[in-house]
Amino acid sequence: MAEMDEMPDMSKRSERESDPELRAGGLRLAYGDRVVAEDLDLAVPPGRITAIVGANACGKSTLLRALARLLAPKRGVIHLDGRALHAIPTRELARRLGILPQAPVAPEGLTVIDLVSRGRSPHQTWWRQWSRADEEAVHAALAATGMTELAARTVDELSGGQRQRAWIAMAVAQGTPVLLLDEPTTYLDLAHQIDVLDLITDLNRKERRTVVMVLHDLNQACRYADHIVAMKAGQVVAEGTPDEVITEETVDEVFGLRCRIGPDPVSGTPMVVPISRHHDEAATAV
């Protein structure tokens, strides 16, 4: 995979540009009459990687949809840089905030370069059409995600890992300072999972993009996130650094899973070792 340093200067955020602040307060999130979250508060650390973890149906993806303005809160408000999210014009918001949903689907026959080029749509207006800056941003995004040689291929003929990188390339080309990623490693084998998470880390470390992602793998969340938000039944149970959040007590409360926590031998971050009932006696003896 190409280094992010290859991206042209015009695609990088200015060092003088402040990190975006994304906050939510008193949220009530629901689908019709089914309430998913009530009185939910969240402050996303700017310029950092935040991982949202929790059991299935706890409200992780629903919260991400609300942060992306894909789901309007029944109550409460979300602010981006002090402005109510619902009051920001759509095109302006698309230049500030990008989202990669679960299992996105591209139109049949769409090529990789055409998909990535769609990331530049928020930058187009009737007086500003496709420019050299757009062209450079697209090719830089393809290079950064290792997709240059596949640019002419259609998205539907790619492998799962390649397809996911193509969608991430589109988000990279969009050039937003905030990226929301819903389970970006879904359907990927382990090697491609690490590849994608390394790329996300590059975007954060080298361009200070604020990243919020939903992850299922607690050990990967600990390795790659600066800040972890643990959710249960639509509420934030714990948030903070991996060391503060991923404890045996919190894992038991959030997932109903007994475990042992030790240091990851590679990263030194917390590593979760689940205890199944078949190994319970052995774990108790230890």
Side-chain angles (χ1 to χ4, degrees):
M1 180 175 290
E3 293 292 333
M4 292 296 298
D5 287 336
E6 294 181 8
M7 299 184 74
D9 291 341
M10 65 185 67
S11 69
K12 292 187 177 182
R13 295 179 56 212
S14 167
E15 293 181 359
R16 294 172 302 198
E17 183 181 348
S18 61
D19 293 321
E21 294 187 359
L22 186 61
R23 293 177 174 272
L27 295 186
R28 184 184 195 191
L29 304 177
Y31 297 102
D33 295 330
R34 183 171 66 88
V35 176
V36 177
E38 189 76 73
D39 293 327
L40 191 153
D41 300 321
L42 180 72
V44 175
R48 312 299 290 275
I49 297 177
T50 294
I52 304 176
V53 302
N56 290 337
C58 73
K60 303 185 300 295
S61 294
T62 299
L63 172 58
L64 205 71
R65 284 175 54 81
L67 294 177
R69 210 171 71 179
L70 298 177
L71 177 69
K74 300 294 185 181
R75 187 169 60 240
V77 65
I78 301 171
H79 288 97
L80 178 61
D81 288 336
R83 300 169 63 189
L85 204 65
H86 72 271
I88 300 176
T90 300
R91 186 173 292 275
E92 179 184 347
L93 183 64
R95 291 194 294 264
R96 298 284 295 156
L97 188 152
I99 182 168
L100 177 64
Q102 288 187 47
V105 178
E108 186 176 353
L110 189 73
T111 64
V112 170
I113 194 167
D114 286 340
L115 174 66
V116 178
S117 296
R118 292 189 175 197
R120 301 302 298 170
S121 295
H123 303 273
Q124 309 299 311
T125 62
W126 66 269
W127 68 86
R128 182 196 181 281
Q129 299 301 312
W130 192 260
S131 68
R132 181 178 177 182
D134 295 317
E135 192 76 20
E136 290 182 350
V138 167
H139 286 285
L142 289 168
T145 53
M147 296 298 291
T148 300
E149 294 183 359
L150 301 175
R153 297 269 296 275
T154 59
V155 176
D156 49 333
E157 65 179 299
L158 300 178
S159 69
Q162 291 169 337
R163 191 177 299 119
Q164 192 75 332
R165 283 189 286 145
W167 282 100
I168 291 176
M170 186 187 75
V172 172
Q174 191 173 339
T176 61
V178 180
L179 274 177
L180 307 177
L181 309 170
D182 195 356
E183 299 184 29
T185 58
T186 299
Y187 308 127
L188 303 185
D189 61 41
L190 185 57
H192 282 112
Q193 289 178 29
I194 299 304
D195 201 26
V196 165
L197 291 169
D198 280 343
L199 169 60
I200 291 168
T201 302
D202 285 340
L203 293 172
N204 170 258
R205 300 293 187 258
K206 296 181 180 181
E207 297 185 19
R208 288 194 64 83
R209 297 199 195 199
T210 298
V211 177
V212 183
M213 58 181 174
V214 171
L215 285 180
H216 276 298
D217 191 309
L218 292 180
N219 293 330
Q220 289 182 355
C222 288
R223 271 195 178 191
Y224 287 93
D226 307 298
H227 187 78
I228 293 182
V229 175
M231 292 184 63
K232 178 182 180 182
Q235 293 294 315
V236 174
V237 173
E239 61 178 313
T241 65
D243 286 315
E244 293 169 336
V245 174
I246 303 303
T247 65
E248 294 177 7
E249 295 75 19
T250 301
V251 173
D252 190 11
E253 179 181 359
V254 172
F255 293 92
L257 177 69
R258 295 181 60 216
C259 68
R260 293 288 181 265
I261 305 290
D264 185 310
V266 174
S267 64
T269 53
M271 184 174 69
V272 179
V273 181
I275 300 174
S276 72
R277 57 188 177 82
H278 291 291
H279 298 91
D280 190 50
E281 293 183 4
T284 303
V286 174

